[in-house]
Amino acid sequence: MLVWYALLALTLGLAVIISSVILPRMYLKSRYKLIKSEDRGIKKIMEKNGQTLVLEPAVKWRKYIKQYILSERGGKKQLMCKINDEIEYLSYDIALFNNRDKVFDVITIKERIDKEGFTKTVDLPEETSYVALHVNAVDGVEFPSLMTGKVKAGSAVKFILLCSLCIFMETFCVKVCCAQIFGGIFREVFILNLESTLVTIAISLFLILINVGATILTLLIRGQKKSGWDRL
């Protein structure tokens, strides 16, 4: 009997890990339009507990963001921008590159400038190797974003199909385990009975529909909303 309890727990655990961790990482990762950074390093300052890099953003943004510093001290990475003194509101994206030259995330900053000529400090993830900046808005003037991450339609379809297969198989495995645990002498009848099989199929289809709806809703929300910090 304990074997069936263990198998039931294993089935549920694997289903959750596969559908909520493994498959999303394989098929629902955002693909960013930005391929490489056009920012230019101009100075490197070595310090006792780390280093500071002084960089310039792409040429088209330099009239808004003159320079920015990327510092690393004691394993903590931070960014701060030196901007045009006349700017009162600034929204910009920070594309985060890893050591494989891939964009792994984008942080959106929306900030009302308190200290003339400078933004507030932004903490960056530890895996950040370098960044690229893209201005979204300056004092009411907006620019099209080039860094919005989108999931390819083909990848989303593959995720839904594989996730549906996982749910279908999980439902029947749970049925067998429950029959062995609670069915007693009628467990084989419960497993092979046509009516119980149809009920199991109906349950699996219902769960699949919920999963499809949740996936579509998540992708729609992700397409309209980027991760960001408001500092107004």
Side-chain angles (χ1 to χ4, degrees), residues 4-86:
W4 291 107
Y5 277 109
L7 187 59
L8 177 61
L10 180 63
T11 299
L12 294 174
L14 283 175
V16 170
I17 292 172
I18 291 172
S19 60
S20 63
V21 179
I22 296 177
L23 291 181
R25 287 185 177 180
M26 291 176 62
Y27 297 105
L28 297 185
K29 291 183 67 175
S30 296
R31 308 295 180 184
Y32 296 99
K33 295 180 181 179
L34 185 70
I35 299 175
K36 63 179 181 178
S37 174
E38 297 180 3
D39 299 2
R40 182 171 70 99
I42 57 178
K43 186 186 293 186
K44 183 176 183 180
I45 304 170
M46 300 303 298
E47 301 169 334
K48 289 183 178 180
N49 60 341
Q51 65 179 19
T52 297
L53 300 177
V54 181
L55 304 101
E56 290 179 332
V59 175
K60 58 185 174 182
W61 305 129
R62 289 178 192 170
K63 62 180 177 180
Y64 308 113
I65 300 177
K66 297 178 180 179
Q67 297 176 351
Y68 65 93
I69 61 170
L70 190 61
S71 64
E72 181 177 358
R73 296 184 181 91
K76 187 176 183 179
K77 298 182 179 180
Q78 295 181 315
L79 177 143
M80 185 177 71
C81 300
K82 181 180 180 181
I83 61 176
N84 189 310
D85 292 342
E86 298 177 357

Side-chain angles (χ1 to χ4, degrees), residues 22 25 34 43 97-99 173 183 209:
I22 296 177
R25 287 185 177 180
L34 185 70
K43 186 186 293 186
F97 289 80
N98 58 25
N99 56 12
C173 288
L209 286 175

Side-chain angles (χ1 to χ4, degrees), residues 36-194:
K36 63 179 181 178
S37 174
E38 297 180 3
D39 299 2
R40 182 171 70 99
I42 57 178
K43 186 186 293 186
K44 183 176 183 180
I45 304 170
M46 300 303 298
E47 301 169 334
K48 289 183 178 180
N49 60 341
Q51 65 179 19
T52 297
L53 300 177
V54 181
L55 304 101
E56 290 179 332
V59 175
K60 58 185 174 182
W61 305 129
R62 289 178 192 170
K63 62 180 177 180
Y64 308 113
I65 300 177
K66 297 178 180 179
Q67 297 176 351
Y68 65 93
I69 61 170
L70 190 61
S71 64
E72 181 177 358
R73 296 184 181 91
K76 187 176 183 179
K77 298 182 179 180
Q78 295 181 315
L79 177 143
M80 185 177 71
C81 300
K82 181 180 180 181
I83 61 176
N84 189 310
D85 292 342
E86 298 177 357
I87 295 177
E88 297 180 355
Y89 170 82
L90 178 66
S91 172
Y92 61 101
D93 288 333
I94 306 173
L96 308 177
F97 289 80
N98 58 25
N99 56 12
R100 300 186 301 277
D101 297 324
K102 301 292 184 182
V103 178
F104 67 88
D105 198 6
V106 172
I107 300 175
T108 299
I109 304 296
K110 300 176 182 179
E111 182 175 344
R112 185 73 63 184
I113 305 302
D114 295 327
K115 184 179 180 181
E116 184 179 285
F118 295 92
T119 64
K120 294 179 181 177
T121 302
V122 179
D123 293 329
L124 304 178
E126 186 177 346
E127 61 185 302
T128 305
S129 291
Y130 61 97
V131 305
L133 302 186
H134 177 91
V135 176
N136 294 321
V138 178
D139 292 335
V141 180
E142 297 186 355
F143 306 95
S145 176
L146 298 178
M147 296 188 185
T148 303
K150 292 185 178 181
V151 177
K152 293 182 179 179
S155 296
V157 170
K158 290 178 182 177
F159 170 79
I160 291 174
L161 290 176
L162 290 174
C163 213
S164 299
L165 178 62
C166 179
I167 291 172
F168 190 79
M169 294 175 64
E170 176 202 5
T171 307
F172 275 89
C173 288
V174 169
K175 172 190 173 181
V176 172
C177 291
C178 289
Q180 295 292 339
I181 295 171
F182 304 109
I185 61 174
F186 301 104
R187 57 179 177 269
E188 292 185 4
V189 175
F190 180 73
I191 294 172
L192 300 175
N193 182 268
L194 178 60

